[in-house]
Amino acid sequence: MRGLVDTGEANALLAEHGHGELRLVDNGSISPKETLQDLPGAPHAYHLIPKVASKAAAVARHMRARGYAPGECIAVGDSREDLGVAEHVGRFFLVANALDRDPAITNGAAANVEVTEGRNGEGFYEAVIRSLAEGR
């Protein structure tokens, strides 16, 4: 789904109406589309998923299946949902635009979380180049 939704309110409504096994996850801002121009802020992408599912759990499972150690892996993200992956990888890069939307996103973040100077795709590129150049 795309738009601008209060996920806390949506998740409370899901639970109230007997769908507590589901949760609505905010996957960060997206480019405004013609149909989303009248929103009071930047549109976001959302996924409705089982409550027990997460990006962090998926990354951890994939790493186990491939035999990767945390120090062999990096991750890049721009949302709180993405930030959960940090506990499973050696380095986690939060792209700069994440702080525009959520200035407190790094509060209490894991020690391996680094914020890029670049935003969006440029931040992703920076994370890859830094990791390769620093050999870690």
Side-chain angles (χ1 to χ4, degrees), residues 27-84:
N27 279 293
S29 64
I30 58 172
S31 300
K33 306 292 183 219
E34 220 173 274
T35 57
L36 300 173
Q37 294 295 326
D38 296 330
L39 295 175
H44 287 226
Y46 300 91
H47 293 148
L48 184 62
I49 62 174
K51 196 173 236 179
V52 297
S54 71
K55 289 181 180 181
V59 166
R61 183 172 173 90
H62 182 81
M63 288 171 58
R64 279 192 310 274
R66 300 263 183 205
Y68 294 146
E72 297 175 295
C73 300
I74 69 165
V76 182
D78 67 352
S79 70
R80 288 190 180 269
E81 179 71 11
D82 296 336
L83 198 55

Side-chain angles (χ1 to χ4, degrees), residues 29 76 78 95-98 101 116 118-126:
S29 64
V76 182
D78 67 352
V95 292
N97 53 288
R101 284 194 316 279
T116 64
R119 305 165 48 79
N120 302 309
E122 289 178 11
F124 177 86
Y125 177 78
E126 176 186 336

Side-chain angles (χ1 to χ4, degrees), residues 9-24 48:
E9 182 180 341
N11 288 322
L13 284 169
L14 284 167
E16 180 183 325
H17 292 279
H19 301 289
E21 75 282 0
L22 298 174
R23 68 185 178 115
L24 187 67
L48 184 62

